Amino acid sequence: MAIAAVLTGCASTAPVDPGATPEELVLITHGSFALGEDNEVLDRFTEQTGIAVTVLQADDAGALTNQLVLTKNAPLADVAFGVDTTFASRAVKAGVFAEHQVAAMGPDQERFQLPAGAGREVLAPITSGDVCINIDAEWYQSKGQTPPATLDDLIKPKYRGQLVASGASTSSPGLAFLLATIAAYGEDGWRDYWRALVANDIKVTAGWTDAYTVDFTRAGGDRPIVLSYGSSPAFDPATQNLDATCFRQVEYAGVIAGTKYPTAAGQLVDFLFSAEAQAAIPDSMYVFPTNTAVALPEGWAGVVSVAETAYELDPAVIDAKREAWIAEWSAIVIG
Amino acid sequence: MRARQPVSTVFGLGLAVGVPVLFLLVFFLVPLLGMLWIGLAPNGQVDLVGFVDVLGRPRTHRIIGLTLAQAATATVIALLAGLPVAAVLHRRRFRGAGVLRALVFVPFVLPTVVVGVAFRTLFRPSGWLGWLGLDGTFAAIIAALVFFNIAVVVRTVGVRWESLDPRQAEAAASLGASPWRVWWTVTLPALAPAVWSAAAVVFLFCATAFGTVLVLGGLQFGTIETEIYTLTMDYLDLPAAAALSLLQLVLVVALLTVSARLRQRGERGVTTRAAAPKPRLGRGDAGLLAWSLLVVAALMLPLAALVVRSLETPHGWGLDYYVAFLGGSSAASAVLLSLSTAAQAAAIALVLGLGLALALSRPAVTARQLRWRDRLDRLVMLPLGVSAVTVGLGMLITLNRPPLDMRTTGILIPISQAIVALPLVLRVLLPVLRGIDPKLREAAASLGASPARVLLDVDLRLAARPIAAATVFALAVSLGEFGATSFLARPTDPTLPVLIYRLITRPGAENLGMALAGSVILAMLVLALTGLVERLRAGVAGAF
């Protein structure tokens, strides 16, 4: 029997017990994934289960989702983490994930979960991050001016030429900001809001990096208002988050359909929601844990928090309208 | 009538051509075609409705125009700026020439995102060059494209220039021709193949530029490449992406055909000689030298902006970010991983490229051989002009069965870099090898040298410098993470550019400072490698 397997060189024909414990599981994720120094937190999982975890990283959440969809028939991994609010629907619809429920997930996670029938059965929320407008509080203080607080403020003449944001067509936070304005002003109002932003001299960059590290006043640039993340002020105390401008982005984990070890893969998803893994999320990935029982690290507690009233949109609606929205947005902003 | 070639030679030629062709077939053509197939035939049947729709959109026409305009402008400027630099840095001997040659090479490998930050730091309203008003303009894109690609011109042309037989030019001068006339009637025609080679490579790099165009153009300038990226990654609209990939393919093949014609016109009657000592810098070189220093200074400006920002800490000037970067757990291993990946990619590209160049430089006998040779040449060049998104995702969907399922091993990283390095290796080696006088080989053979001996004594000896230059290119392509690597899933240990990218996409002055310090370290690594290869080459050339 063993000889036959060697001779045919084809292990996949032999049926594998789905509950078997493999020596190794492959976790595919995006480029920002980390759990402790050198992913040392994953070693706890290995200690508990005897299963080693190999991590593969795609560029970003979009690249990850597309790779999952395209390799559906010959998956690269057993578990995926990092598909986010804006891409979840694409992956779920393509049937990338197998059903799995994290037992520990309670009513506190309700607000992070996908709607029933649209991903709740297959994807578990692991991190929650807000894309928010940040301000250079020091700049406003030194000028003796009041900083803006809301989306409405950003189109007031007194903040003319002060906002820099990355574009919805080229960056993930940029898309989240567009979605925040759609959630805030509705299908009928967001276009006028963006026309007003353009009239108020918004600067649109390709990516978050050059907005935050070139144009933002904290980086020596000329604009004291920047599109960034809810957690950014933890890394620069001179900046502040505008809580009323946030869009909620949740990142999910799921068992990849077609894995030979669905039970073990499910254990790894459970582990990502466990207190051990969740506690490492803020310092490693700069977003918040969805397991709200976990304490935030020093420098976070009291400085930043998950915005209570972040804007949200149904992932299925995002998936259906993304292309049309971005095209209209481009026409307004880029011309 | 030529003598029949010995079996071993035929076998050697077959191997030298067959292995690279197989390599490109498996790792480039199959992935490309696989991706095009699922786009053009999503349900197993070819459906061209979407295809026709995309090609009919006014947006597509505008983008084709922009792609060609950007690439053509940047190529012309890179040639005009780079040729005089090649003339001085590769043909004259003076203190510091090696350092200048290495400096010119640094921009080629810097990560796009870092160069974006550097240029925008210069161009932002309060920046050193803010008064030029270039932020978000077409000119800013061109400046960055020239910055990246000038090294291609200087190296490719410079290496050919070093190995030109100077006697023709000297003869013309002794007959009373002015230096300008000598350049125009003798040197330029002799250099033409290398100039066209460089132009083709630069054009293709510029036409497929992606990050540079978006970061510096402020979104209003797109290229076919940015469009394929958006259609694939944001919308997963594979039919539309496939239509544009196909269009890109047609344009690239057309361009390669034209450039091959232009190149071949000059490839006859120009001889290569062994590396000889270069003349010292003379008074007549003052103008060229001044121009070269100006170009190098211009290239250094964005780098200076990087260095300055990497030294600017919250509490004054200091090396804090360098200490933090190097003290981090991943810096040392990232450098080692970058170097070992580069060594693998360069080894693949050099072995395949050298074999191919030797095979393609044999004198062709029949018209049919010539035609096949041209096709082969175009096949090798093709990856430079084809969308990295398409090839990268294509690898994931086609190389999915044993024994070719290497998708999770990381070996696809050096392989996809080698695919981009291979055409550069070929372009550097071919003009020199084709310039070798066949009589030299015949003389060696008639003196009793075996074919292998002829190869070693004639071809490889004359090609020592180009081989060194090709090595530098191949290492640089890998260190700069060229190719489809960002569309593959890779093991978690970062290379230096990946580490820099991870740091620069996180908030906080510390992360940015460390990313910039890491970029400066990457630049110094390139300087060191370039210097090392040149030194090795000098040693090897001396040994013959």
Side-chain angles (χ1 to χ4, degrees), chain B residues 376-451:
Chain B
L376 204 56
D377 195 303
R378 261 175 292 174
L379 169 68
V380 175
M381 290 291 278
L382 212 48
L384 291 186
V386 168
S387 155
V389 193
T390 311
V391 177
L393 292 179
M395 283 182 166
L396 292 181
I397 60 164
T398 54
L399 305 179
N400 58 3
R401 261 164 296 219
L404 282 173
D405 190 0
M406 301 177 249
R407 298 175 300 170
T408 58
T409 60
I411 187 70
L412 287 179
I413 307 277
I415 286 179
S416 44
Q417 291 162 350
I419 292 174
V420 176
L422 187 57
L424 294 173
V425 169
L426 195 67
R427 287 278 74 86
V428 171
L429 294 181
L430 260 188
V432 178
L433 289 177
R434 281 194 179 147
I436 292 176
D437 191 342
K439 275 179 255 161
L440 276 178
R441 297 192 188 110
E442 283 160 22
S446 72
L447 290 173
S450 68

Side-chain angles (χ1 to χ4, degrees), chain B residues 69-214:
Chain B
Q70 275 167 31
T73 315
T75 307
V76 169
I77 296 178
L79 283 175
L80 291 177
L83 286 178
V85 180
V88 175
L89 296 189
H90 284 268
R91 275 171 61 246
R92 293 288 179 263
R93 192 155 46 96
F94 58 98
R95 199 179 277 271
V99 174
L100 288 176
R101 274 199 298 272
L103 278 178
V104 169
F105 208 70
V106 167
F108 187 65
V109 296
L110 287 182
T112 314
V113 59
V114 173
V115 172
V117 167
F119 268 82
R120 292 220 45 238
T121 299
L122 291 174
F123 290 153
R124 67 186 174 189
S126 54
W128 296 345
L129 299 178
W131 50 276
L132 288 171
L134 287 178
D135 204 8
T137 62
F138 188 75
I141 299 177
I142 300 296
L145 290 176
V146 171
F147 174 81
F148 275 119
N149 285 296
I150 210 159
V152 176
V153 175
V154 174
R155 282 271 147 167
T156 313
V157 178
V159 165
R160 178 67 188 124
W161 216 327
E162 282 177 350
S163 64
L164 274 189
D165 196 330
R167 280 170 298 190
Q168 274 181 309
E170 283 161 14
S174 71
L175 290 172
S178 68
W180 183 244
R181 203 175 154 72
V182 171
W183 152 255
W184 194 249
T185 56
V186 180
T187 314
L188 186 61
L191 280 180
V195 174
W196 288 117
S197 286
V201 170
V202 173
F203 189 96
L204 292 179
F205 273 143
C206 294
T208 51
F210 168 66
T212 321
V213 175
L214 290 177

Side-chain angles (χ1 to χ4, degrees), chain B residues 334-354:
Chain B
V335 169
L336 287 178
L337 183 62
S338 277
L339 289 176
S340 74
T341 311
Q344 292 168 38
I348 299 172
L350 276 177
V351 168
L352 299 183
L354 195 58

